[in-house]
Amino acid sequence: QVQLVESGGDLVRPGGSLRLSCAASGRIFSINVMGWYRQAPGKERELVATIPSVGERYYADSVKGRFTIFRDNAKNTMYLQMNSLKPEDTAVYYCNANIHTGGGNYAFWGQGTQVTVSS
């Protein structure tokens, strides 16, 4: 049993900052690539950023220079630091992780956390 839980979403004014967290728990042997997705009302879910176990981080063009993805492997936790937030960043943010459970490698999703950027 593996569970991903996001937290940190909030209502924030334009130009403000938030830090999202994604904590993985359960039968985890290792976590491979992790990423953040978001889905705005009436929009398709889009990839925001990814962080692999080895290799370069990826950022969508819309968040480059404003968002930073990082992880604490000892805590099985991933973070998304969001600065200079814009109204168009408003969305439900979802954590995704590819996890070796012992029975194989599987993708897991969190339940999502709401980020609202508004004055």
Side-chain angles (χ1 to χ4, degrees), residues 18-22 34 36 49-52 57 59 67-73 76-82:
L18 285 174
R19 179 177 292 184
L20 306 183
S21 299
C22 171
M34 304 183 75
W36 288 97
T50 61
I51 180 167
R57 301 168 184 178
Y59 297 96
F67 290 11
T68 302
I69 186 171
F70 59 103
R71 61 197 284 181
D72 184 338
N73 292 326
N76 287 333
T77 301
M78 174 181 63
Y79 306 90
L80 184 68
Q81 178 66 45
M82 305 185 294

Side-chain angles (χ1 to χ4, degrees), residues 56-97:
E56 295 184 347
R57 301 168 184 178
Y58 164 84
Y59 297 96
D61 288 342
S62 60
V63 307
K64 286 181 180 177
R66 300 188 298 120
F67 290 11
T68 302
I69 186 171
F70 59 103
R71 61 197 284 181
D72 184 338
N73 292 326
K75 296 181 178 180
N76 287 333
T77 301
M78 174 181 63
Y79 306 90
L80 184 68
Q81 178 66 45
M82 305 185 294
N83 299 326
S84 302
L85 283 162
K86 304 175 180 179
E88 49 263 47
D89 295 318
T90 296
V92 177
Y93 283 71
Y94 296 93
C95 174
N96 175 268

Side-chain angles (χ1 to χ4, degrees), residues 7-8 13-14 37 45 53 56 77 85 87 96 99-100 111 119:
S7 62
R13 294 182 178 183
Y37 290 73
R45 185 173 297 188
S53 56
E56 295 184 347
T77 301
L85 283 162
N96 175 268
I99 297 176
H100 180 216
Q111 83 290 346
S119 60

